C-alpha cells in the first residue's frame, strides 16, 4: 500500500510465473516497455461530476495489529495507509513525487537559514482539530519530536531519521505556528510529522508502544475507523463528521484481509473493487474480466532479497557469493512473462529506473557470476562436495533459511533456492503464518533470507533506517561505518545533485557489503471498476486520502 511519508513494508505475497496474458485490458498485444517512474492512470475527474456516496471495497494483506507508524511494528504498508486516512496529512505529492502543502492542515511552511542554522516554520489551518475536540497545535509537533528522536529508549521506534537532526520545536507567533530548528541541515524535512500523530496519544511509552494496537485512539483526518471486525477480518473507514476540510465523496471504505491467492477470485466475484495484476496468472484472468479496466503506473516499488548477517552470512564473502549466484535478469524475465510490459531490473537501492538520480552501481557485486560465487565460497572455507551440489566447513553444512510468508506463493523463493543450489548453497524454505511474517520474523531478524517490497520511498532519507548500521529497519543487520557516514552527508546536503552523488556512493558500498539484492521494480498493474474515478495506479502521486475518489454518475 502507498504511503509517501512513512516507510511502508509490504510482504511479497506472490512470486513469478510463466503464463501468458493480454495487455492493458484491451486484448492481446506486443509486450512493451515498463511505464516510466511517476506515470499514473487514475481516471481523473472533477469532484462535482461524481456522485456522493457509495462504498469502495479493497483488500489488505493481513489484520492490522499496530497503527502507530512511528513504532517498530507499525511499518506494515497497509496499516500505514489506513493511518494516513485518519490523521492530518501535511503534504500531497504530485505526479513527480514533489510535495505541495495540503491546505486543509497546512496553511504555509517556510524554510530559512540563519547563521547556518536551518529553521522551518509551519503555519497550521486555524480550524484543524483532533477527534477529542482539542486543537492541533505546535505542541503536537513537539511531542512527535520528543518521542521519535531516539533520546528515550523506552519508546520502541521504527526509525529516528530526521527527528534526531532537530535541535528544538517551539511555539511560534501563536499556538498554530510551529518553529522547528535543526542541529544540522536536513534536506528531506518534508518527510517529518506527516502524517501528524496526536501528541496526547503518544506522549508516554505505554501509549506510544501499545496504545495503537488494533485501534487509532485519536484521529484528525477526513476518515476514522467506523468498525473493526477481527472475526470477519474487515476494517471499515467512514468519514470523520468533525473534519473541517474537504469531505470524502464516499460513504465508506471497507478493507478486507485476504490471502494473496484469494484476491483475484474475490475481485471476480465482485467482493472487492480493486485487485493487483502484477503476477502473470492474475493479470491473465483480470484483463479479460467483465466490468474491469486495467490501469498501469510507475511506482517507487522495489522487490528485494534481504540477507542476514549471522552464521555463514557473517562473512561478507558469503553474502557477496549469494548476490552473484542470483540471476536478477532471469527473475525479472520470469516476472515479466505474460504481463503487458517488461519488468525493470534494479541496480540501485535508492532510485527507480527513469527516476532522477538512478544509476546502476552494482558492478561485479550484483552481476550474475556463478564462477565468482563459487570462488568466494571456496575462499571463505566452504568446500564443495564431489558433485558441487552442497558445501561444508568444519563438518557443518552450508545451509540458509529463507523465511516465506505463508499467505503467498513460494515461486520466487524456489527460483532463488534453485539458483543458490547451483553454487552449492542449500536453502531451506520455511513458510510462516502471514500475520507473523513481519512481527515475529522479519522485524526481529529471524531469517537468513527474506523477500519483501519497499514502497514509496521517493525521499531517499526514508531508507536511512533500512541501510544504516543498527537502523531500526535494517532487519538483516548488515552495514558499515563508511555507508553511515555517506548517509549522514547525503541527509545534510541541500544540493540535490551532490546528495544524489553521495547516495550513489553509499549504494555501491551496500552492494559490496552484501546488504540486500534489489531484484526488480515491482510492476504497478491494477484491475479496477471502470466507474471508479480518481483511483487506480497512482505512480508517485498521493491518493489525497481518497477524498476525491468516487463513482461516476
Amino acid at each position: 500500500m502507498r504511503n509517501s511519508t512513512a516507510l511502508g513494508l509490504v510482504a511479497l505475497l506472490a512470486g513469478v510465473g510463466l503464463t501468458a496474458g493480454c495487455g492493458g485490458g484491451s486484448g492481446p498485444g506486443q509486450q512493451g516497455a515498463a511505464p516510466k517512474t511517476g506515470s499514473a492512470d487514475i481516471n481523473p475527474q472533477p469532484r462535482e461530476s461524481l456522485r456522493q456516496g457509495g462504498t469502495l471495497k479493497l483488500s489488505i494483506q493481513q489484520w492490522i495489529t499496530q497503527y502507530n507508524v512511528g513504532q517498530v511494528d507499525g511499518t506494515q504498508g497497509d496499516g500505514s495507509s489506513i493511518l494516513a486516512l485518519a490523521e492530518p496529512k501535511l503534504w500531497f505529492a504530485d505526479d513527480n513525487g514533489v510535495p505541495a502543502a495540503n491546505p486543509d492542515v497546512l496553511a504555509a511552511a517556510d524554510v530559512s537559514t540563519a547563521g547556518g542554522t536551518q529553521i522551518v516554520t509551519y503555519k497550521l489551518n486555524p480550524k484543524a482539530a483532533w477527534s477529542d475536540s482539542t486543537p492541533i497545535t505546535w505542541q503536537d509537533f513537539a511531542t512527535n519530536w520528543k518521542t521519535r528522536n531516539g533520546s528515550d529508549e523506552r519508546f520502541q521506534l521504527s526509525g529516528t531519521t530526521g527527528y534526531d537532526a532537530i535541535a528544538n520545536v517551539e511555539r511560534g507567533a501563536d499556538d498554530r505556528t510551529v518553529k522547528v530548528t535543526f542541529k544540522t541541515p536536513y534536506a528531506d524535512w518534508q518527510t517529518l510529522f506527516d502524517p501528524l500523530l496526536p501528541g496526547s496519544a503518544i506522549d508516554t511509552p505505554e501509549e506510544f508502544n501499545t496504545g495503537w494496537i488494533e485501534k487509532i485512539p485519536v484521529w484528525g483526518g477526513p476518515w476514522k475507523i467506523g468498525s473493526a471486525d477481527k472475526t470477519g477480518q474487515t476494517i471499515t473507514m467512514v468519514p470523520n463528521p468533525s473534519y473541517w476540510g474537504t469531505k470524502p465523496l464516499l460513504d465508506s471504505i471497507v478493507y478486507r484481509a485476504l490471502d494473496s491467492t484469494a484476491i483475484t477470485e474475490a475481485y471476480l466475484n465482485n467482493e472487492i473493487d480493486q485487485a493487483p495484476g502484477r503476477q502473470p496468472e492474475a493479470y491473465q484472468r483480470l484483463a479479460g474480466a467483465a466490468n474491469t479496466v486495467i490501469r498501469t503506473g510507475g511506482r517507487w516499488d522495489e522487490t528485494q532479497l534481504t540477507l542476514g548477517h549471522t552464521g555463514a552470512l557473517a562473512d561478507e564473502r558469503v553474502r557477496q557469493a549469494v548476490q552473484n549466484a542470483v540471476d536478477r535478469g532471469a527473475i525479472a524475465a520470469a516476472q515479466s512473462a505474460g504481463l503487458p510490459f517488461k519488468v525493470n531490473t534494479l541496480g540501485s537501492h535508492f532510485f527507480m529506473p527513469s527516476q532522477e538520480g538512478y544509476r546502476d552501481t552494482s558492478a561485479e557485486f550484483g552481476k550474475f557470476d556463478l564462477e565468482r560465487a563459487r570462488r568466494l565460497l571456496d575462499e571463505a572455507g566452504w568446500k564443495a562436495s564431489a558433485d558441487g551440489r552442497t558445501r561444508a566447513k568444519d563438518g557443518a553444512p552450508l545451509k540458509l533459511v529463507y523465511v516465506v510468508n505463508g499467505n503467498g506463493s513460494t515461486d520466487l523463493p524456489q527460483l532463488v533456492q534453485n539458483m543458490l543450489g547451483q553454487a552449492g548453497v542449500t536453502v531451506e524454505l520455511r513458510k510462516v503464518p502471514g500475520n507473523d511474517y513481519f512481527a515475529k520474523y522479519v522485524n526481529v531478524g529471524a531469517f537468513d533470507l527474506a523477500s519483501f517490497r519497499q514502497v514509496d520511498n521517493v525521499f531517499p532519507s526514508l531508507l536511512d533506517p533500512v541501510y544504516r548500521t543498527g537502523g531500526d529497519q535494517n532487519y538483516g543487520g548488515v552495514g558499515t561505518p563508511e555507508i553511515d557516514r555517506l548517509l549522514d552527508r547525503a541527509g545534510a546536503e541541500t544540493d540535490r545533485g551532490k546528495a544524489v552523488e553521495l547516495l550513489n556512493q553509499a549504494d555501491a558500498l551496500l552492494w559490496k557489503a552484501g546488504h540486500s539484492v534489489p531484484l526488480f521494480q515491482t510492476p504497478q498493474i491494477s484491475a479496477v471498476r471502470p466507474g471508479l474515478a480518481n483511483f487506480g495506479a497512482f505512480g508517485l502521486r498521493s491518493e489525497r486520502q481518497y477524498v476525491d475518489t468516487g463513482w461516476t454518475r
Side-chain angles (χ1 to χ4, degrees), residues 123-393:
K123 294 184 179 180
L124 303 175
N125 186 319
K127 297 180 180 179
W130 299 111
S131 57
D132 59 7
S133 298
T134 60
I136 297 174
T137 72
W138 71 273
Q139 292 176 319
D140 295 296
F141 284 73
T143 302
N144 273 262
W145 165 56
K146 291 175 182 177
T147 59
R148 299 175 70 176
N149 63 21
S151 61
D152 189 337
E153 293 183 354
R154 296 175 301 167
F155 292 88
Q156 300 166 1
L157 301 177
S158 58
T160 62
T161 304
Y163 296 101
D164 57 3
I166 295 173
N168 193 29
V169 176
E170 57 191 317
R171 183 180 185 270
D174 53 41
D175 283 350
R176 301 286 192 165
T177 305
V178 190
K179 181 181 178 182
V180 179
T181 304
F182 287 82
K183 293 182 286 188
T184 58
Y186 186 65
D188 288 351
W189 59 271
Q190 289 159 307
T191 63
L192 304 175
F193 310 110
D194 194 31
L196 183 66
L197 302 182
S200 64
I202 60 170
D203 59 351
T204 69
E206 293 73 25
E207 288 174 321
F208 190 94
N209 297 328
T210 64
W212 296 68
I213 293 177
E214 298 188 352
K215 65 180 179 181
I216 297 176
V218 180
W219 53 93
W223 299 88
K224 68 173 186 175
I225 295 179
S227 63
D229 180 358
K230 193 170 185 179
T231 301
Q233 296 281 284
T234 60
I235 299 164
T236 301
M237 304 297 289
V238 298
N240 173 7
S242 301
Y243 192 63
W244 61 94
T246 304
K247 306 285 188 181
L249 292 170
L250 296 167
D251 288 334
S252 61
I253 303 174
V254 179
Y255 293 94
R256 178 181 171 193
L258 291 170
D259 290 351
S260 65
T261 54
I263 293 175
T264 299
E265 200 64 38
Y267 178 87
L268 295 175
N269 289 335
N270 292 309
E271 297 168 19
I272 55 177
D273 297 314
Q274 182 272 344
R278 58 179 172 264
Q279 303 304 328
E281 182 179 358
Y283 175 77
Q284 184 181 36
R285 299 184 67 195
L286 294 167
N291 193 30
T292 296
V293 62
I294 298 294
R295 304 200 184 283
T296 62
R299 186 183 187 185
W300 201 111
D301 193 335
E302 170 204 55
T303 294
Q304 73 166 217
L305 176 68
T306 292
L307 282 61
H309 76 295
T310 59
L313 292 175
D315 190 326
E316 181 180 271
R317 293 170 295 185
V318 177
R319 298 196 301 272
Q320 288 184 7
V322 169
Q323 292 185 153
N324 286 132
V326 173
D327 188 344
R328 293 180 293 134
I331 289 174
Q335 176 68 41
S336 300
L339 295 182
F341 54 78
K342 297 178 181 178
V343 171
N344 289 318
T345 56
L346 288 178
S348 172
H349 293 80
F350 292 100
F351 303 102
M352 293 291 108
S354 75
Q355 184 183 8
E356 181 186 359
Y358 178 82
R359 184 193 306 168
D360 187 338
T361 65
S362 59
E364 70 270 26
F365 306 109
K367 181 181 179 182
F368 174 55
D369 188 342
L370 265 180
E371 290 307 313
R372 185 174 190 273
R374 291 165 179 158
R375 184 174 67 254
L376 287 167
L377 293 172
D378 289 340
E379 292 173 0
W382 294 98
K383 301 305 179 185
S385 60
D387 60 7
R389 298 175 64 182
T390 61
R391 289 178 179 268
K393 181 178 182 180

Side-chain angles (χ1 to χ4, degrees), residues 495-510:
D495 184 300
R496 167 73 177 176
K498 293 178 180 178
V500 165
E501 177 58 33
L502 292 167
L503 289 167
N504 282 326
Q505 291 178 33
D507 192 33
L509 293 181
L510 285 166

Side-chain angles (χ1 to χ4, degrees), residues 53-135:
T55 295
L56 175 63
K57 297 171 290 183
L58 302 174
S59 67
I60 54 177
Q61 297 175 357
Q62 64 181 63
W63 182 251
I64 309 303
T65 56
Q66 175 61 267
Y67 283 99
N68 181 359
V69 72
Q71 206 271 345
V72 67
D73 293 326
T75 59
Q76 200 274 339
D78 291 328
S80 298
S81 294
I82 293 173
L83 175 78
L85 301 181
E87 301 297 8
K89 285 281 296 173
L90 305 186
W91 308 96
F92 290 145
D94 66 13
D95 286 345
N96 296 313
V98 177
N102 171 16
D104 287 354
V105 178
L106 189 60
D110 299 308
V111 60
S112 61
T113 302
T117 299
Q118 178 176 314
I119 299 172
V120 177
T121 303
Y122 300 87
K123 294 184 179 180
L124 303 175
N125 186 319
K127 297 180 180 179
W130 299 111
S131 57
D132 59 7
S133 298
T134 60

